[in-house]
Amino acid sequence: MDLDQFVSQLPDSDPSETVEWLDSLDAVVNSAGKTRARYLVSRLTERARELQIGTPAEVSTPYINTIPVEEQPWFPGNEDIEKRIRQYLRWNAAISVTYANKEADGIGGHLSSYASSAMLLEVGFNHFFRGKEGALVGDHVYLQGHASPGIYARAYLEGRLSEDQMMRFRREIGGGGLSSYPHPWLMPEFWEFPTVSMGLGPLNSIYQARFSKYLYNRRIDDTSASKVWCFLGDGETDEPETLGSISLAGREQLDNLIWVVNCNLQRLDGPVRGNGKIIQELESVFRGAGWNVLKVIWGAGWDELLAKDVDGVLVAKMNATLDGEWQRYAIESGAYIREHFFGPDPRLRKLVDHLSDDQLRALPRGGHDYKKVYAAYKAASETTGAPTVILAKTVKGWALGSTVEGRNATHSIKKLSHDQIIEFRDRLQLTDQIPDAVIDADAPPFYRPPADSPEALYLAQRRSELGGPLPSRSLEIRRPLTLPDPTVYEEFAKGSGTQSVSTTMAFTRLLRGLCRAEEFGPRVVPIIPDEARTFGMEVLFRELGIYASQGQLYEPVDHELLISYVESKSGQLLEEGITEAGSLASFTAAGTSYATRGVPMVPFFTLYSMFGFQRVGDLIWAAADAQAKGFIIGATAGRTTLLGEGLQHQDGHSLVLASTVPTCQAYDPAFAYELATIVECGLERMYGEPNGAGESVFYYLTAYNENQIMPMRPEHVTNEDIMSGLYKWADAPADLEAKATIVFSGTMNRGALEAQIALAARGIGAELWSATSYKRLREDALTVERWNRLHPTQTARVAQVTEQLGNAPGPIIAVTDFMKAVPDQIAPYVSKRFISLGTDGFGRSDTREALRRFFEVDAANIEIAVLSALAADGVIDASVVASAIDEHGIDTESLDPFRL
Ligand SMILES: Cc1ncc(C[n+]2csc(CCOP(=O)(O)OP(=O)(O)O)c2C)c(N)n1
Ligand SMILES: [Mg+2]
């Protein structure tokens, strides 16, 4: 249905007047044509907006700059000096990449992205981006990852990086090199935000801006002086993560957020929208999402032409020309442009009669015109009530020479030949600084103007006025955090008495306690993606309040209930809605706040464990790179513990995926006291040291929804036992010789205990051990293994797990509600028979009992596994195993969980 048809359903209070208006429009179309009619309608719409009539916003405007020339502000910079600085930057950026590829099989890098975005970045660096020096922390700037050579080039000009470092772009091993892309883990004093996995930077920037408002509204930090700038590619907007949360930014009116989309019309392989217009497409998408959209399409050279375009033919041609054609015009001669763009319409041709072919070719795009860019940035910084996106049109590979600029292959060009370097040098007018004689094709020189040159002084002065250099990651803690009093953990050591509870319930109780803790409490950031009721956490709604930037403008339907849905401007809980990606971005913003703002915050992000690592694993990887701290709780964990939900809900592998993330501390607690201890020790490890020097790790904890009596913490169990990953939980029954060891994790503790009792009835004693973290055990074993390999003449060390299980009785049977690969992490380091029972394969809908029998992790199967191992070790006869299998009615021919 045509959307405009809705008008015919509205009452017409004066039909004859309506007809008059429509007739006039018809007359205009007939006499002056459609262009004129479109103009008049646009003017009417504009006036309607001024009069606040409430007409729906247009989603797209003509293909021209949003800010008219008359409204362009005065440019405050020194144009000559800035131009020279850009020339040096362009040169050094390209040289660092060429350097990295001087050998035949070079190590990559990108030339053309920075070449197209240099102007966009430089206007920011010289006039807008606020650094960290000063009473209030400045801006948070997300940079396009593969434009890193330009960022390094600037740091080199500023004297922050040495020539040696520039020569070691992409050569990190051994130290002193520069990482390929923004990686805070690798360059912790330089980069703040990892962005190179496309889409993650934009998404994270939205939530960073939202988190800034959260900190402000909760009176934790004054973020009013901080903008969040995010630079991204037009191709990058294809990623669902890029555009997926822009409506949140609109809804939350994040006027502290500015996106600059570098619309060079190209991605890696070719045009972004050869058959369309990416700028127009993005304009409508962002407008629909409530953003302030500023298009920077044309440079000043076009102003004069547009002013003369009284009958609108130029704008009409601009509107009708496809991106594939614009890309072509970027590389063709002036004659071609005259012929094909202006030529077909005599009125257009006449418009440019006075311009030479060279002048035609040089008509710049808006993103290469600092005055236009400055105007847009200024307007964006002054906008209130909405986020701003600047859509800046550029040429990919700009100034890199005719063989690189605008070519489809430009993204992948990593090296300039001698001739290309000469052409590039000439184009940059650097003949004095870099004469032919010093240009060696394999190792062209970097160029840095002397420290007392006007350019160097200008650079330094601009940055010092704007609060110091960027990017820069600081570890200065401005508002220290006080850890909670340990009494908050005490109740968990006592067990749950006669009450059956789950580890999820225990976690919720602990979280409430932590939020109430004096001083520490406000620093807790509970994050939930629309699953609080699933996890039994809805009690937090009222207790903590749900953060809502506008407060609560309605009385909730359940306002009389104790657990009503309370939204508040000072609310503590981030109820994210159904977005694991967005929640992860909030986790990252909160978990890196100790570095980005010098204000440690402690996120506790509770997600549906199946929709964690496997759904947003790349965001978790980026959070680790960003050195995020905090806790991710994988609730409804376990492939058989989450009953009924089936294949796409039952998580039996998040712990496998967690094992791939270097800084992730993955724990699978069985009991409330284990969980509380992990949180206590984790907080101490991450936040315990003064000045933010705690370790940059984060914790992943599983939480189950199966109720059981939570045991008291045994006397002998220390915090170190629990944190080390493995400890003996219970001896074999006193009257029996211990012949085997059952190692359980999570909810499998119950089956293990039952199996111990059943084995005792057969006269076989088994010890019970709790494995809280196989990842931790494996990492220790790997460290020891390496040390032994490299210290052949010294007394060999013994890995913790090797020693522990070496001293434990008999064969080891490890049982988990996750894949066998989880306990198998320690298999090479156990010197005796080791069997893993786990839940490999797709989940199914059924009861816990049926599922555990199916996956062969129930008590009967644990018992059989112990017997089988003892038989294999020659301790008992195989017939004992056979009869146990019979006794338990195990269907030995039944479907194997791997098979479909
Ligand atoms: C998730 C992801 N997929 C693919 C890539 C590889 N990649 C790096 S740059 C690039 C093209 C980028 O195009 P665009 O966003 O338009 O940036 P431009 O270089 O044109 O400014 C691609 C596909 C990546 N970095 N991340
Ligand atoms: Mg692009």
Side-chain angles (χ1 to χ4, degrees):
M1 193 187 97
D2 183 347
L3 275 181
D4 294 339
Q5 279 178 15
F6 84 92
V7 182
S8 60
Q9 299 178 45
L10 303 177
D12 185 348
S13 57
D14 189 346
S16 60
E17 187 186 39
T18 309
V19 168
E20 260 176 49
W21 278 72
L22 293 177
D23 283 351
S24 335
L25 184 63
D26 291 349
V28 172
V29 175
N30 290 335
S31 60
K34 288 185 183 168
T35 306
R36 170 79 189 143
R38 202 176 307 124
Y39 174 80
L40 283 176
V41 172
S42 300
R43 284 300 296 271
L44 279 176
T45 317
E46 186 185 76
R47 179 57 53 87
R49 215 174 300 131
E50 283 164 15
L51 299 173
Q52 300 187 349
I53 288 176
T55 46
E58 277 177 281
V59 290
S60 124
T61 60
Y63 200 59
I64 52 172
N65 294 345
T66 310
I67 300 175
V69 198
E70 317 81 75
E71 284 178 28
Q72 229 169 275
W74 172 73
F75 178 74
N78 182 321
E79 300 177 27
D80 287 342
I81 293 185
E82 289 195 19
K83 182 174 179 190
R84 274 201 300 284
I85 290 172
R86 281 195 305 275
Q87 288 162 341
Y88 302 151
L89 289 173
R90 288 178 181 285
W91 174 260
N92 290 318
I95 295 311
S96 70
V97 178
T98 299
Y99 222 92
N101 294 283
K102 65 183 175 171
E103 279 121 37
D105 46 350
I107 46 179
H110 299 87
L111 294 166
S112 59
S113 302
Y114 178 67
S116 68
S117 60
M119 183 82 79
L120 301 176
L121 291 165
E122 276 309 290
V123 175
F125 277 118
N126 284 323
H127 302 284
F128 291 93
F129 305 159
R130 306 226 149 245
K132 292 178 183 284
E133 293 158 9
L136 296 179
V137 171
D139 295 344
H140 306 295
V141 186
Y142 290 69
L143 298 157
Q144 253 181 304
H146 49 290
S148 61
I151 308 303
Y152 291 139
R154 183 166 237 277
Y156 168 65
L157 280 202
E158 289 171 348
R160 299 172 66 204
L161 294 179
S162 68
E163 188 162 320
D164 281 351
Q165 285 173 298
M166 292 298 279
M167 285 193 228
R168 289 185 61 77
F169 173 53
R170 289 192 165 221
R171 285 177 213 270
E172 298 184 276
I173 307 298
L178 300 176
S179 67
S180 49
Y181 303 114
H183 294 306
W185 187 261
L186 301 173
M187 293 177 62
E189 288 170 11
F190 195 85
W191 295 115
E192 277 193 290
F193 305 110
T195 48
V196 79
S197 178
M198 316 232 106
L200 304 192
L203 177 78
N204 279 331
S205 76
I206 293 177
Y207 283 84
Q208 177 74 40
R210 204 280 215 97
F211 191 69
S212 271
K213 298 261 184 187
Y214 171 91
L215 288 177
Y216 184 85
N217 284 331
R218 291 192 54 217
R219 300 288 179 268
I220 291 177
D221 192 20
D222 183 354
T223 56
S224 57
S226 300
K227 300 262 182 220
V228 177
W229 292 80
C230 180
F231 287 77
L232 58 145
D234 46 359
E236 187 170 5
T237 63
D238 286 342
E239 288 286 2
E241 286 86 349
T242 306
L243 299 181
S245 291
I246 59 169
S247 58
L248 172 98
R251 195 163 63 241
E252 295 272 309
Q253 304 180 349
L254 299 180
D255 47 16
N256 55 344
L257 178 65
I258 300 167
W259 276 18
V260 181
V261 187
N262 174 15
C263 295
N264 54 26
L265 315 186
Q266 290 179 245
R267 48 191 176 204
L268 193 152
D269 282 339
V272 177
R273 294 288 182 276
N275 294 319
K277 290 164 95 73
I278 186 66
I279 292 180
Q280 299 300 86
E281 180 182 322
L282 291 176
E283 177 184 29
S284 27
V285 171
F286 279 98
R287 270 189 209 282
W291 287 54
N292 171 39
V293 182
L294 299 175
K295 297 198 286 190
V296 183
I297 303 183
W298 307 116
W302 293 88
D303 288 340
E304 167 218 7
L305 304 180
L306 283 163
K308 285 199 235 155
D309 181 34
V310 282
D311 40 14
V313 275
L314 179 57
V315 173
K317 180 75 180 176
M318 288 169 160
N319 284 337
T321 303
L322 300 173
D323 281 358
E325 295 170 308
W326 288 121
Q327 188 189 347
R328 181 95 188 261
Y329 293 132
I331 63 155
E332 290 287 357
S333 66
Y336 180 93
I337 297 168
R338 189 185 304 281
E339 177 72 21
H340 291 85
F341 183 77
F342 296 99
D345 187 319
R347 291 170 297 177
L348 270 183
R349 188 180 272 271
K350 188 154 165 277
L351 209 56
V352 292
D353 264 352
H354 63 298
L355 297 178
S356 69
D357 283 356
D358 281 348
Q359 284 172 317
L360 271 193
R361 196 172 142 53
L363 283 175
R365 294 189 177 177
H368 298 304
D369 183 326
Y370 53 89
K371 290 185 181 168
K372 303 283 184 197
V373 174
Y374 179 84
Y377 286 9
K378 186 158 189 294
S381 324
E382 290 165 2
T383 296
T384 54
T388 295
V389 62
I390 293 163
L391 304 172
K393 181 158 156 157
T394 62
V395 175
K396 192 149 178 170
W398 203 66
L400 284 172
S402 54
T403 46
V404 182
E405 226 175 41
R407 301 283 162 185
N408 271 339
T410 187
H411 191 88
S412 311
I413 297 173
K414 319 224 163 280
K415 187 177 178 174
L416 298 178
S417 67
H418 187 260
D419 289 350
Q420 285 172 320
I421 287 175
I422 299 285
E423 183 187 344
F424 181 48
R425 190 269 323 259
D426 293 349
R427 171 96 179 251
L428 296 178
Q429 301 163 345
L430 293 175
T431 333
D432 289 345
Q433 294 85 341
I434 307 147
D436 282 2
V438 302
I439 299 186
D440 165 350
D442 281 340
F446 290 97
Y447 178 77
R448 176 156 53 190
D452 58 356
S453 64
E455 294 85 1
L457 293 173
Y458 186 85
L459 264 182
Q461 189 214 347
R462 293 309 306 138
R463 282 317 313 160
S464 114
E465 276 176 26
L466 286 165
L470 281 177
S472 139
R473 186 170 175 276
S474 158
L475 282 183
E476 193 201 329
I477 297 297
R478 295 166 45 247
R479 292 172 192 275
L481 170 145
T482 311
L483 287 178
D485 192 278
T487 47
V488 69
Y489 309 108
E490 273 170 10
E491 61 174 299
F492 300 94
K494 295 184 185 133
S496 62
T498 53
Q499 215 189 344
S500 260
V501 296
S502 65
T503 45
T504 309
M505 287 156 83
F507 167 69
T508 305
R509 204 174 162 79
L510 174 60
L511 184 61
R512 291 170 75 184
L514 291 171
C515 288
R516 284 194 206 122
E518 219 178 309
E519 290 191 62
F520 176 78
R523 298 298 181 91
V524 176
V525 185
I527 305 169
I528 304 176
D530 199 35
E531 296 284 2
R533 291 179 205 280
T534 316
F535 307 143
M537 297 174 85
E538 63 270 42
V539 55
L540 300 178
F541 292 162
R542 185 163 193 151
E543 199 164 304
L544 303 179
I546 295 165
Y547 173 71
S549 55
Q550 303 173 3
Q552 191 158 37
L553 307 175
Y554 62 96
E555 188 172 70
V557 64
D558 54 6
H559 66 279
E560 283 165 354
L561 300 184
L562 222 74
I563 49 164
S564 66
Y565 199 83
V566 176
E567 302 192 61
S568 145
K569 196 163 178 169
S570 60
Q572 185 165 4
L573 180 77
L574 289 175
E575 161 63 82
E576 300 287 10
I578 313 170
T579 167
E580 284 74 20
S583 309
L584 218 297
S586 278
F587 172 82
T588 306
T592 54
S593 171
Y594 73 96
T596 56
R597 303 214 53 88
V599 181
M601 299 293 289
V602 187
F604 282 86
F605 170 24
T606 311
L607 46 63
Y608 211 113
S609 72
M610 190 64 159
F611 306 128
F613 279 86
Q614 93 162 0
R615 173 114 192 176
V616 287
D618 201 15
L619 276 158
I620 297 180
W621 187 258
D625 185 352
Q627 307 210 24
K629 304 181 182 185
F631 295 88
I632 299 179
I633 316 296
T636 56
R639 189 156 278 153
T640 67
T641 305
L642 178 59
L643 69 171
E645 292 289 347
L647 184 153
Q648 208 136 28
H649 283 75
Q650 292 164 337
D651 169 32
H653 54 281
S654 63
L655 285 170
V656 179
L657 302 174
S659 75
T660 63
V661 181
T663 61
C664 175
Q665 309 301 306
Y667 282 86
D668 192 10
F671 309 120
Y673 72 80
E674 289 184 354
L675 188 134
T677 301
I678 296 163
V679 170
E680 177 180 7
C681 297
L683 281 174
E684 180 65 40
R685 182 171 171 197
M686 295 184 287
Y687 299 91
E689 295 292 322
N691 304 323
E695 283 182 61
S696 297
V697 295
F698 71 95
Y699 284 73
Y700 178 62
L701 309 188
T702 56
Y704 296 87
N705 65 359
E706 184 173 3
N707 293 340
Q708 69 170 94
I709 306 278
M710 288 295 159
M712 274 171 56
R713 172 169 168 158
E715 289 274 312
H716 68 274
V717 176
T718 64
N719 281 4
E720 175 48 28
D721 286 337
I722 295 171
M723 298 312 287
S724 76
L726 181 67
Y727 68 94
K728 191 206 288 187
W729 183 65
D731 285 322
D735 51 337
L736 293 173
E737 187 195 341
K739 289 191 177 145
T741 301
I742 303 172
V743 181
F744 63 78
S745 314
T747 45
M748 293 296 115
N749 74 83
R750 307 185 70 194
L753 187 60
E754 261 183 65
Q756 186 200 42
I757 294 166
L759 287 162
R762 294 179 189 278
I764 297 169
E767 287 187 0
L768 296 181
W769 289 58
S770 175
T772 50
S773 178
Y774 285 106
K775 184 175 194 269
R776 164 78 186 64
L777 295 171
R778 178 176 174 79
E779 284 164 358
D780 168 73
L782 287 172
T783 310
V784 169
E785 185 184 54
R786 171 180 178 271
W787 194 91
N788 289 342
R789 185 166 62 247
L790 300 179
H791 299 84
T793 58
Q794 302 196 30
T795 315
R797 294 179 177 174
V798 183
Q800 178 200 321
V801 68
T802 309
E803 175 161 349
Q804 284 180 307
L805 294 182
N807 295 332
I812 313 291
I813 282 69
V815 58
T816 170
D817 204 7
F818 282 80
M819 290 173 67
K820 297 180 177 80
V822 177
D824 282 351
Q825 291 179 85
I826 60 166
Y829 311 103
V830 182
S831 53
K832 49 173 74 170
R833 190 172 300 282
F834 180 81
I835 293 169
S836 297
L837 299 180
T839 56
D840 295 47
F842 283 133
R844 301 279 193 292
S845 305
D846 217 309
T847 61
R848 282 190 188 121
E849 207 179 12
L851 289 167
R852 288 174 182 169
R853 173 54 63 99
F854 176 75
F855 283 103
E856 299 169 356
V857 292
D858 61 354
N861 276 289
I862 299 171
E863 182 190 344
I864 289 164
V866 171
L867 294 175
S868 159
L870 287 171
D873 282 351
V875 180
I876 59 171
D877 196 80
S879 61
V880 182
V881 192
S883 60
I885 292 172
D886 267 1
E887 245 171 70
H888 286 298
I890 304 285
D891 176 2
T892 54
E893 302 307 318
S894 66
L895 191 65
D896 166 337
F898 294 116
R899 277 188 275 115
L900 306 172

